Amino acid sequence: MKFWMFHLMPWPHLPENFTERYDTAWVTCSNSLFDPERGPEVYHQYIDQLVYADTLGFDGVVINEHHQNAYGIMPSPNLIAAALSQRITQARVMVLGNGLPLYDVPLKIAEEFAMLDNMFRGKFDCGFVVGGGPEYYSYSKNPTYARERFREATELILKAWTDPGPFSWEGKHFPLQYVNTWPRPVQTPHPPVWIPGVGSIETMEFVAQKGLIYAALTYSHVEAFRRNAAFFQETVARVGASPYHPEMLGWLVPMYVAETDQKAREEAEEHIWYFIDKLLKGFAGKGRTWMPPGYTSLQSLQRLRELNDPGSGHASESNWQLGHATNWDDIEAGGSVLIGSPQTVREQLLRYVAEFKVGHILALPQFGSLPDHLTRKNMELLAGEVFPYVRKHVGAEFESIPMMDAQPAPASA
Amino acid sequence: MTLRSEILTIRNQKAHLLQDGAGPPLLYLHGLVADLHSLPADSGLTAFHETLAQSFTVYAPALPGYAETEGYDELETVEDMVFFCLDVLDALQLDTVHLVGTALGGWVATELATRHAHRLHKLVLINPLGISTSEARIGNFFYAVTPKAEGGNHEVRELIFSDRDSELAMGAIPDDMSPESQFLFYKAQMVSARIGWTPPSLYNPRLKDRLYRVTVPTLLVSAAGDRLVPTALADVYQAGLPEAKLVRVAAAAHAIWLEQPQHTAEIVTRFLQ
């Protein structure tokens, strides 16, 4: 059982009237809204928070990649990781991930992740992601090749890390005469690779067959995650390289803990709405949704349509998205944002962890405009009163399950 | 007259063909959206094509990925569309034809004509995509299709029709689509993204300088009020084509074949006869 601190590095200084004046925080949200006078402080505060997670005993920290938006000012998480490598001493660091199809030479990603694995002395996890729909607008990359390029780049990078170079690569999208990645990763056979998914069977099978880690990073209904978690476990049982283990599965959960339930809501609510009404606007919520044609295959579209059909029995949770919430009841109805006293949150989290057999909780303790002092207090309560409780009650059960063979050995550094 | 639907097999893949009429053979290549193969068969929006079929034998294949035609996975560039059309001509045992293309079909038709003009009698291009310039950029179709908070497809209709709220426009691209309409509309978007995503979108930067190879009589029909294909691009086409006549229709928008079906069909028929 691992507890991570996920950080999106949102831009917290959007104007008060943003919701009324702008239809999106993505792609066309003008960068004139970024204030260079406040930028340095924002970056340093966020980096300090990640370092603080290490001090508090989080198992790891997670950073991610987004482009041309206010949602996350981290177009290169690898740069942040490099900075963290000089300050984090105990926790693992995960870049989840790099948007493979967005780049024309995926070897750069193989190289940088291998560098980071060396710099972290093997306490490094990485993620391969397709990139969100908006990124295909922001980088003008053809969305109809997103899945193909992702699959090919994934195979290429894994081979670059595990087969001795040089070798040639006869791919459709990335033909290469010399693949010979220097440096090589420290971990054997390579750093743990995380792949996010939203329920497609193809992604699950790929992850299971390759012995990778499946991550749910959408702010969707808890029942949608329950269904996907079960579906993934079946998939691993069917085609997996080894039996299912909870540490093959991760789940991103916004969390806020304060002394009482009431205080937690009072402190967090304004900042949750900043996240929903401003940052998710244009991505998975209100406003213009940057969903390019061909990014979703016809088959996946068909499956989504079936799930969303009122007759399917899944419609209410399949249609629920945090970004669509308009009042507090909407947020609570989804069950996937945990806010309350330590007792409330740990009981709920324990129930979820045990029921879903999910071994990685990617907690999001900073969201929207949540200020530094509240973020830190939240992190302290999570690390002190929530995670140890869940670990104690469920951890032993998880640890007794043998790890899969393909899982890298724990780093010795 | 009604267009008959049939499925050809071309190189082991399905090719969807609509066919009607009598007279000299005419290969019709459909538009991006709001045309044959992106509208349901029973849409009733085929007056233009049926009028052509009074004078010609009209063959209207669905381009790869559209409607029932397979081949999306192998599709990469507009060049693949050209090969598909050659395969269709061969399958139908048509040596030479009149070639008529609207929008996307106009782009494919031009690409074909720059390479295989000997297969054509005459060429008709109606608001053709394929060329974009800094002065006259092709409309931002891939932005217009992004889902809006308030829902609906008014931004696409705005690009395509003279009045986005007209009964015709709302009928062709409604806000609430039937599953079949939605399916056809999404396929049209996927195919056009596959071959034309790169900005300014739906063009080939090399095409302009190859127009000199289109050595057949060509008619350009351009709607003066086209918001998808700015009418100034028709002048670029005309300047590059050796034998092109330009008819500019005032008070018309992109989907001129839907909004003025008789008038457009008459212009085309007069030129081909």
Side-chain angles (χ1 to χ4, degrees):
Chain A
M1 187 73 229
K2 301 274 193 300
F3 295 95
W4 303 74
M5 171 176 178
F6 200 104
H7 212 311
L8 292 166
M9 298 203 170
W11 180 247
H13 301 306
L14 289 172
E16 287 282 328
N17 63 358
F18 179 86
T19 312
E20 295 76 46
R21 283 198 51 194
Y22 297 85
D23 70 348
T24 180
W26 297 69
V27 186
T28 52
C29 174
S30 173
N31 64 358
S32 62
L33 296 179
F34 180 89
D35 179 358
E37 301 234 330
R38 305 170 97 168
E41 180 56 27
V42 171
Y43 275 106
H44 280 281
Q45 198 173 81
Y46 288 162
I47 289 171
D48 289 346
Q49 288 168 6
L50 289 164
V51 174
Y52 191 48
D54 184 33
T55 313
L56 290 173
F58 279 67
D59 292 305
V61 302
V62 190
I63 50 184
N64 74 340
E65 171 180 331
H66 282 296
H67 299 275
Q68 302 198 155
N69 60 51
Y71 174 85
I73 51 170
M74 201 156 25
S76 177
N78 303 2
L79 290 181
I80 303 292
L84 294 176
S85 76
Q86 303 307 300
R87 295 184 58 193
I88 282 184
T89 55
Q90 299 302 315
R92 294 183 72 84
V93 171
M94 184 194 322
V95 175
L96 179 56
N98 280 184
L100 307 190
L102 301 176
Y103 303 100
D104 288 332
V105 187
L107 288 184
K108 179 83 184 298
I109 296 164
E111 291 165 344
E112 291 193 358
F113 281 170
M115 283 175 69
L116 288 168
D117 201 27
N118 280 268
M119 291 159 72
F120 282 108
R121 301 177 195 278
K123 286 161 83 165
F124 176 66
D125 284 42
C126 62
F128 298 164
V129 303
V130 174
E135 263 99 28
Y136 288 81
Y137 281 97
S138 286
Y139 269 26
S140 287
K141 297 305 281 187
N142 192 321
T144 72
Y145 288 126
R147 315 287 158 175
E148 265 185 39
R149 285 169 69 90
F150 178 72
R151 193 60 67 91
E152 184 182 331
T154 298
E155 303 266 10
L156 167 62
I157 294 172
L158 292 177
K159 190 169 158 77
W161 282 342
T162 51
D163 282 18
F167 61 85
S168 61
W169 181 260
E170 297 176 5
K172 172 178 172 184
H173 294 284
F174 312 108
L176 291 156
Q177 186 64 52
Y178 305 108
V179 179
N180 193 22
T181 299
W182 282 75
R184 291 170 54 203
V186 172
Q187 296 172 84
T188 308
H190 53 73
V193 172
W194 293 57
I195 303 222
V198 292
S200 102
I201 186 166
E202 295 86 358
T203 305
M204 288 187 185
E205 286 181 349
F206 184 74
V207 168
Q209 284 161 352
K210 297 273 176 195
L212 312 180
I213 300 172
Y214 189 80
L217 304 184
T218 52
Y219 311 103
S220 48
H221 197 286
V222 68
E223 291 305 319
F225 177 67
R226 180 200 299 276
R227 196 175 58 236
N228 284 343
F231 191 32
F232 179 62
Q233 284 152 35
E234 288 164 24
T235 307
V236 172
R238 189 162 47 79
V239 299
S242 58
Y244 180 75
H245 185 281
E247 291 192 8
M248 292 168 157
L249 181 64
W251 187 30
L252 172 62
V253 190
M255 289 190 199
Y256 191 80
V257 183
E259 291 73 4
T260 64
D261 288 348
Q262 193 190 343
K263 195 159 182 235
R265 178 173 166 182
E266 280 168 13
E267 288 175 353
E269 182 160 4
E270 148 189 17
H271 310 290
I272 289 270
W273 288 119
Y274 183 100
F275 181 62
I276 293 171
D277 286 339
K278 294 188 167 81
L279 301 178
L280 284 178
K281 193 168 189 180
F283 181 45
K286 306 168 185 109
R288 178 183 298 276
T289 305
W290 297 94
M291 193 44 68
Y295 176 83
T296 306
S297 71
L298 280 171
Q299 296 87 321
S300 300
L301 209 65
Q302 186 62 28
R303 182 160 179 271
L304 283 175
R305 199 171 294 150
E306 283 163 13
L307 285 172
N308 291 350
D309 187 274
S312 72
H314 299 297
S316 59
E317 77 259 17
S318 293
N319 286 319
W320 187 94
Q321 277 288 331
L322 181 59
H324 295 144
T326 55
N327 58 54
W328 194 255
D329 287 346
D330 290 344
I331 296 175
E332 290 194 328
S336 52
V337 178
L338 301 187
I339 296 180
S341 68
Q343 290 76 11
T344 301
V345 170
R346 70 195 189 191
E347 291 301 340
Q348 203 171 356
L349 185 60
L350 175 61
R351 200 169 64 244
Y352 286 162
V353 164
E355 284 179 20
F356 305 157
K357 297 187 178 60
V358 52
H360 292 283
I361 291 300
L362 312 180
L364 187 73
Q366 195 287 333
F367 39 80
S369 50
L370 190 74
D372 188 52
H373 70 282
L374 293 180
T375 302
R376 284 170 178 260
K377 181 163 76 84
N378 184 23
M379 291 166 62
E380 287 158 11
L381 288 169
L382 284 170
E385 300 191 33
V386 174
F387 297 157
Y389 176 86
V390 177
R391 194 193 305 277
K392 183 175 150 207
H393 285 83
V394 83
E397 187 186 326
F398 282 5
E399 301 300 338
S400 67
I401 303 174
M403 292 294 276
M404 53 183 166
D405 294 340
Q407 187 78 350
S412 53
Chain B
M1 300 227 180
T2 34
L3 296 155
R4 296 189 310 279
S5 180
E6 59 179 297
I7 301 294
L8 306 177
T9 301
I10 292 179
R11 299 179 67 231
N12 297 320
Q13 292 195 311
K14 283 198 277 185
H16 191 176
L17 181 77
L18 294 170
Q19 187 181 335
D20 191 20
L26 184 157
L27 185 69
Y28 177 80
L29 302 181
H30 58 80
L32 185 68
V33 289
D35 198 358
L36 303 181
H37 299 299
S38 54
L39 292 171
D42 58 0
S43 65
L45 296 171
T46 51
F48 168 70
H49 318 86
E50 285 167 18
T51 305
L52 288 181
Q54 289 168 9
S55 309
F56 304 96
T57 307
V58 174
Y59 299 95
L63 291 166
Y66 273 83
E68 300 296 316
T69 300
E70 295 175 330
Y72 173 79
D73 290 338
E74 300 79 35
L75 184 65
E76 289 185 27
T77 69
V78 71
E79 178 95 40
D80 298 306
M81 297 275 193
V82 173
F83 277 99
F84 170 79
C85 293
L86 294 173
D87 289 339
V88 169
L89 289 178
D90 291 350
L92 296 171
Q93 299 183 311
L94 297 171
D95 192 32
T96 51
V97 292
H98 292 312
L99 181 59
V100 178
T102 54
L104 174 66
W107 176 17
V108 177
T110 310
E111 296 276 358
L112 190 150
T114 59
R115 296 159 174 81
H116 309 282
H118 57 282
R119 301 293 296 266
L120 309 181
H121 287 302
K122 289 183 179 176
L123 173 66
V124 177
L125 307 172
I126 302 170
N127 298 329
L129 290 158
I131 291 178
S132 185
T133 67
S134 326
E135 295 74 30
R137 254 172 96 98
I138 284 174
N140 200 343
F141 176 71
F142 297 119
Y143 176 82
V145 297
T146 51
K148 331 300 173 281
E150 66 278 21
N153 289 308
H154 56 269
E155 289 184 6
V156 180
R157 289 198 301 273
E158 178 82 25
L159 281 180
I160 305 287
F161 295 96
S162 44
D163 173 6
R164 72 181 199 188
D165 300 322
S166 70
E167 200 180 322
L168 175 69
M170 296 293 278
I173 304 183
D175 287 329
D176 285 316
M177 289 190 166
S178 68
E180 190 200 357
S181 294
Q182 208 168 28
F183 186 68
L184 291 170
F185 188 49
Y186 190 69
K187 288 185 93 170
Q189 293 175 40
M190 281 175 69
V191 172
S192 51
R194 172 56 64 88
I195 66 167
W197 176 261
T198 302
S201 80
L202 299 163
Y203 84 122
N204 171 4
R206 312 292 301 277
L207 182 59
K208 187 157 65 77
D209 294 333
R210 292 172 175 168
L211 293 176
Y212 74 95
R213 294 197 59 87
V214 183
T215 53
V216 292
T218 304
L219 171 70
L220 282 158
V221 180
S222 175
D226 193 332
R227 285 181 285 270
L228 179 65
V229 185
T231 192
L233 291 172
D235 300 307
V236 179
Y237 260 102
Q238 192 187 21
L241 291 165
E243 280 190 70
K245 177 185 164 201
L246 170 60
V247 174
R248 183 165 277 128
V249 183
H254 180 71
I256 188 172
W257 61 90
L258 290 187
E259 293 191 329
Q260 302 184 29
Q262 301 299 340
H263 181 51
T264 311
E266 277 162 28
I267 295 171
V268 173
T269 305
R270 207 177 310 133
F271 173 75
L272 293 180
Q273 284 174 341

